[in-house]
Amino acid sequence: MSLADTEREIEALLFAAAGPLSEADLVKRLPEGADVPAALATLAERYRGRGVELARVAERWRFQTAQDLAWLMTDEREEPRRLSRAAQETLAIIAYHQPVTRAEIESVRGVQASRGTLDVLLELGLVRMRGRRRTPGRPVTYGTTDAFLEHYGLASLADMPGAAEMRVAGLLNLDLPADFAVPDPNAISLDEDPLDDGDAPEFHTDYLGKE
Amino acid sequence: MSLADTEREIEALLFAAAGPLSEADLVKRLPEGADVPAALATLAERYRGRGVELARVAERWRFQTAQDLAWLMTDEREEPRRLSRAAQETLAIIAYHQPVTRAEIESVRGVQASRGTLDVLLELGLVRMRGRRRTPGRPVTYGTTDAFLEHYGLASLADMPGAAEMRVAGLLNLDLPADFAVPDPNAISLDEDPLDDGDAPEFHTDYLGKE
Amino acid sequence: MSEGFQPGLDFDAARTAADDGEALIVDVDGYEGPLHVLLALARSQKVDLLKLSVLKLAEQYLVFVQEARRRRFSLAADYLVMAAWLAYLKSRLLLPKPEQPKGEEAPAEEIAARLAFRLAKLDAMRTASEALNTRAILRRDVFTRGDPEAIRVIPSGRIEGDLYSLMSAYIGQRTKETSRRYTPPVVTTYPLEDARDRLRRMLPDLDRWTPLAGVAPFGPSDQGPSRASFLASTLSASLELVKDGAMEARQLEAFADVFLRATAGRST
C-alpha cells in the first residue's frame, strides 16, 4: 500500500471522526502495514498554512481551522431561529384557529400560554395582533403574518393543509372523535373588530391577563 | 485581497460549518470583494482526489469524505433507516414529477398510496408539501426538500439521474394517461385531477357508462 | 372512508402473513398491485414497453390471476378489477372494429397504448429509484465532518421547522385535548345515618336549647367531610328526629341560628 493511500485514508478518518484520534486508533482502523506516522507527517505538511490545519493535541490528531482565521468564525456566528416546542405549538394553534384569543390558545393547549411564548412569535414576526373579539373584555385576537406564509412556503392561508392532508400524512388517528374538525384559517371571522391604528394593547387587560 | 486568502477562508468556513453553505452565505461572511466562485473552483480542484472532497449539494457547498473510502467509515456509519420499496418508488415519482398530487402518484403506481409511504417520507424530511394545485378541490402538491438533495448528494434537481432522457421520451409528462384509469373499487376519488381544457365530465356518460 | 378497508389489500400485510407461515406462499416478489404485476410480465417479454403487445400481456395477466386463485391465494380486489378490465380490453382488441365508433368510447388501440405508456412510466420510476440508490448517499457512502463540538458556523437562512412539524405540533395538541379527562376530587360527606345515630346517643344530654353549630361534630379540618357537610347532615337528621317526636327545633327568625333540644319527658 502506498503512502499516498494511507494519507488519503487518514484524512478521511480524521475528518469524519467525532473526536481527535490517536495513532493507535488510526493503526487499528487502517489496513495492516500502513505507515501511520509517515502519512501523518506528510499530511501535516500538506495542510500547513491552509485554512484548515492538522493539529496534535494530547497525543491525538485532529483537523482544526487555522488560528489566524478565528475572526471569521466568532464574529459572524448566527443562531438559527429555533422555535421552542411551546412556541411551535402555540404557532400551530394560532395558524389554524385564527383569529384566536390568548384564552382560546390556552384552552386548546391545556396550559397557560406564557407571555414569553407569544412575545417570541410576535417578535419573530410570525404572529400579529389582528383585532379585538366582540365579547366582554374585548380581548385581542392573534393571527399569522405574511412572514409566516413565506416561512412555510404557503401562497395563502387557504393553502394550509387541512384534515384530509393530515390524514394522508399519518397524523390523524382513527380514535379521534367523529366530530373532530380542523378549522379553516381562511374563514372570515364576524365577531372580530379590526385593530384601529394606534389601538395599542392595554397593559392591564392584555398583558396581565385575568380574563 | 488575494484569491489564495479567499480560498483559505472559505476552506475554514466550510470546515467549521454545521451544514452546507451557499455562495451567498460565504459572500456574507467574507470581506467585501472576495471572489467566491473563483475561490470555490480552485478549492474544489485542490481537494480533487483527496480523502476529503468539496461537493455541491442542494446548491450549497460542503466537504465530505471520498466515496471510495466508504469502507473505512464503519464507526461513523449510521444504521440507515431502510425505505420500503413502495416508499422509494413514491420518492422517485415525487422527485421527478414535482409538484405532484397524491392522486397523480397513485395513478403512476397503480395502487393507492398506503399509509406509511407518504408519511414516512414526510417525517424523514425528504418530502414536503409544496402548495396546492390550482384546480377544483385544490389538492395539495408534494415535492422534495433540500434534505433529499443532500442525502443523495445532488447539486440540484436538474441533476436527477436520467431526467433528461425521461423528459425526451415524454415519460415525465403527467397529462398523457389522464383519462386512462383502472376502475377504482373504492369509488370516485374526489381529489383526482379533472380533465384538461375545462372539459367537465358528464355524469351519465362518464360515470354510469352507456350501453 | 377507505382506511379500514385498504390495509386488507396491502401486499405488505400479505407478505408478513406469508412470513409468519399463516398464508399460502405465492412469490409476488414485491408486487404491490396490478400495474406492478403487469410490469413484471411486460419485462419478461423483453420488448420496448411502448411497443408492447397489450393483448399478449392481458392473456398472461389473466393466466397469472387464474393460477394465483387456483392456489387459493387470497387475491386482492385490485387484481380482479384489473383482470376484468383487461379481459374487456382484450375482447375489444379481438373484435372487428365497428364501422362507426360508439359514442365517446376511445378506440381499444388507444387505450392499449396508454396502458403501455403507464407501464413504461412506472418502469422508468423504478429504474430511477435504483439509480438514486447507487449515488453517493450521505452517511452511507460519504461522510461530513464528525466532530459536533467543533462546529462554529451555522448556515443561515435555513428554515427551522417545516409545515409538517407545524401540523404535527397542532395535531399533537388537539389529540391531547380530546383525550383529556376531568377527574374532580371525590367529596366525602358526613353520612346521614351517622348523624342520626349520633343525635340519638346525644338526646339524653340535650335537655336544653342548644345551637345546631354546637350539636354538629367537628372533624379534622384537612381531611374527611367539611364543616358544612357536618352541619347539613346534622340538621337533616335532627329534622327526622323532630318528625319522630323525639326532638324539638326552633328558629326565631329567618337566617337566625337553629336551636335543638330533646322533647321533654321523652328520653330514649
Side-chain angles (χ1 to χ4, degrees):
Chain A
M1 151 181 350
S2 78
L3 192 63
D5 282 343
T6 305
E7 207 192 309
R8 279 187 79 226
E9 286 157 13
I10 292 178
E11 193 177 15
L13 277 175
L14 287 179
F15 176 78
L21 297 179
S22 68
E23 290 189 21
D25 290 335
L26 291 169
V27 167
K28 209 164 58 195
R29 294 181 63 175
L30 290 174
E32 233 172 298
D35 187 350
V36 171
L40 277 168
T42 52
L43 202 58
E45 192 51 52
R46 180 185 294 276
Y47 275 90
R48 191 181 314 284
R50 306 287 319 150
V52 172
E53 292 175 342
L54 187 59
R56 182 150 166 266
V57 280
E59 308 290 322
R60 284 158 187 270
W61 295 86
R62 72 162 184 222
F63 282 117
Q64 61 184 36
T65 53
Q67 289 283 316
D68 66 308
L69 296 178
W71 58 272
L72 261 178
M73 310 294 142
T74 45
D75 288 3
E76 313 205 10
R77 171 172 178 155
E78 232 175 275
E79 292 295 339
R81 300 158 147 199
R82 175 170 279 124
L83 291 179
S84 71
R85 192 194 152 103
Q88 171 100 262
E89 288 177 359
T90 305
L91 180 60
I93 293 169
I94 293 175
Y96 278 99
H97 290 257
Q98 60 188 299
V100 63
T101 67
R102 202 177 140 210
E104 289 160 354
I105 297 170
E106 287 171 357
S107 98
V108 176
R109 293 202 65 214
V111 286
Q112 283 229 317
S114 78
R115 199 42 235 172
T117 312
L118 261 177
D119 271 345
V120 166
L121 295 173
L122 285 164
E123 199 176 301
L124 286 174
L126 294 172
V127 157
R128 67 191 167 94
M129 296 184 204
R130 274 177 59 138
R132 286 181 182 279
R133 182 64 49 80
R134 284 199 209 109
T135 52
R138 294 175 42 77
V140 165
T141 54
Y142 295 90
T144 53
T145 60
D146 286 349
F148 166 85
L149 294 177
E150 209 173 295
H151 184 97
Y152 288 100
L154 295 164
S156 74
L157 278 180
D159 287 351
M160 288 278 296
E165 288 81 34
M166 291 180 179
R167 187 164 288 118
V168 174
L171 290 170
L172 284 186
N173 295 320
L174 293 174
D175 53 0
L176 284 171
D179 59 349
F180 182 87
V182 173
D184 175 8
N186 209 36
I188 292 156
S189 162
L190 294 173
D191 60 352
E192 185 191 35
D193 286 330
L195 269 190
D196 304 328
D197 279 342
D199 186 5
E202 285 161 42
F203 186 73
H204 67 285
T205 54
D206 295 334
Y207 288 123
L208 294 183
K210 192 65 228 108
E211 274 81 358
Chain B
M1 137 173 1
S2 76
L3 193 63
D5 283 343
T6 304
E7 204 192 308
R8 278 187 81 225
E9 287 157 10
I10 291 177
E11 191 178 17
L13 278 173
L14 288 179
F15 178 80
L21 297 179
S22 67
E23 291 189 18
D25 283 337
L26 292 168
V27 166
K28 207 166 65 191
R29 288 197 165 78
L30 292 175
E32 232 173 301
D35 187 350
V36 171
L40 278 168
T42 53
L43 199 60
E45 193 50 52
R46 179 185 297 276
Y47 275 90
R48 191 182 314 284
R50 304 289 317 151
V52 171
E53 292 176 338
L54 188 59
R56 184 156 160 266
V57 288
E59 317 272 355
R60 290 159 189 258
W61 296 85
R62 75 175 177 209
F63 280 120
Q64 64 185 34
T65 58
Q67 195 182 345
D68 65 308
L69 296 178
W71 57 272
L72 260 179
M73 303 296 161
T74 45
D75 286 10
E76 282 75 23
R77 188 164 302 136
E78 284 173 8
E79 200 45 59
R81 179 166 177 185
R82 271 197 66 83
L83 287 179
S84 71
R85 191 163 171 168
Q88 283 186 29
E89 255 174 50
T90 304
L91 182 59
I93 292 168
I94 293 173
Y96 284 91
H97 293 88
Q98 57 189 305
V100 63
T101 68
R102 187 178 156 218
E104 287 159 355
I105 297 169
E106 289 174 351
S107 111
V108 175
R109 297 196 59 228
V111 281
Q112 289 217 328
S114 65
R115 289 165 65 81
T117 22
L118 210 45
D119 56 331
V120 163
L121 297 174
L122 283 163
E123 206 180 330
L124 287 174
L126 295 171
V127 158
R128 67 190 169 94
M129 294 179 191
R130 279 179 56 139
R132 285 179 189 271
R133 183 65 50 80
R134 304 272 170 236
T135 52
R138 298 177 41 75
V140 164
T141 55
Y142 297 88
T144 52
T145 60
D146 280 354
F148 164 82
L149 295 174
E150 284 173 29
H151 182 78
Y152 288 105
L154 293 161
S156 72
L157 282 177
D159 290 2
M160 295 282 298
E165 295 89 315
M166 284 188 223
R167 187 160 294 113
V168 170
L171 286 172
L172 295 188
N173 205 336
L174 274 173
D175 327 324
L176 255 172
D179 50 352
F180 169 82
V182 176
D184 178 0
N186 290 316
I188 299 148
S189 101
L190 290 174
D191 55 356
E192 196 77 53
D193 246 4
L195 300 175
D196 294 358
D197 331 326
D199 191 7
E202 274 165 51
F203 187 74
H204 67 284
T205 53
D206 292 352
Y207 291 128
L208 294 182
K210 214 184 101 54
E211 220 62 51
Chain C
M1 205 76 341
S2 63
E3 237 97 37
F5 178 53
Q6 184 62 17
L9 299 179
D10 202 335
F11 273 75
D12 284 326
R15 225 172 300 134
T16 316
D19 288 344
D20 297 344
E22 286 170 16
L24 224 167
I25 294 166
V26 172
D27 182 15
V28 285
D29 188 26
Y31 300 153
E32 215 193 306
L35 276 184
H36 285 74
V37 177
L38 281 175
L39 180 58
L41 295 172
R43 275 176 166 177
S44 65
Q45 293 186 16
K46 302 216 176 1
V47 290
D48 181 350
L49 286 169
L50 291 171
K51 294 175 191 136
L52 188 74
S53 159
V54 169
L55 196 56
K56 238 163 132 189
L57 191 63
E59 273 160 8
Q60 286 181 24
Y61 185 87
L62 295 174
V63 169
F64 169 86
V65 171
Q66 279 294 325
E67 180 70 7
R69 287 183 79 190
R70 203 175 52 76
R71 289 151 82 177
R72 297 195 307 119
F73 176 63
S74 54
L75 267 187
D78 276 8
Y79 280 60
L80 294 176
V81 170
M82 179 60 98
W85 191 83
L86 280 176
Y88 166 73
L89 180 59
K90 182 181 149 190
S91 67
R92 290 268 317 265
L93 286 168
L94 289 176
L95 285 173
K97 262 179 233 163
E99 306 231 322
Q100 278 190 320
K102 231 194 302 170
E104 299 293 307
E105 236 166 34
E109 285 78 10
E110 196 184 318
I111 300 175
R114 287 209 184 98
L115 177 59
F117 174 79
R118 266 184 73 170
L119 291 178
K121 193 176 177 71
L122 182 61
D123 189 47
M125 286 302 116
R126 300 196 105 174
T127 315
S129 162
E130 280 154 24
L132 277 176
N133 272 320
T134 59
R135 292 191 59 86
I137 289 175
L138 193 60
R139 285 184 288 278
R140 185 189 78 181
D141 305 313
V142 297
F143 299 84
T144 52
R145 206 167 130 232
D147 184 1
E149 296 284 301
I151 283 169
R152 290 192 292 174
V153 173
I154 293 174
S156 63
R158 281 281 161 124
I159 290 172
E160 290 250 343
D162 56 4
L163 209 48
Y164 182 72
S165 58
L166 189 75
M167 287 159 59
S168 314
Y170 178 72
I171 281 307
Q173 296 177 89
R174 290 297 303 276
T175 317
K176 211 167 57 198
E177 175 196 19
T178 57
S179 63
R180 208 186 297 152
R181 296 268 182 278
Y182 175 57
T183 45
V186 178
V187 178
T188 55
T189 51
Y190 182 44
L192 209 49
E193 296 75 28
D194 291 4
R196 207 156 41 216
D197 294 347
R198 186 168 169 282
L199 265 183
R200 283 228 166 80
R201 284 198 305 276
M202 285 175 74
L203 274 179
D205 303 324
L206 279 175
D207 48 350
R208 66 183 77 162
W209 290 113
T210 314
L212 173 66
V215 175
F218 287 86
S221 59
D222 53 339
Q223 54 178 15
S226 65
R227 177 69 183 150
S229 175
F230 280 124
L231 280 173
S233 296
T234 304
L235 178 65
S236 293
S238 70
L239 293 177
E240 283 180 33
L241 292 186
V242 169
K243 201 176 159 205
D244 292 349
M247 207 176 200
E248 293 173 315
R250 79 167 184 199
Q251 184 181 30
L252 293 177
E253 54 178 316
F255 300 111
D257 281 350
V258 173
F259 287 85
L260 304 169
R261 74 169 180 193
T263 308
R266 273 197 63 169
S267 53
T268 347

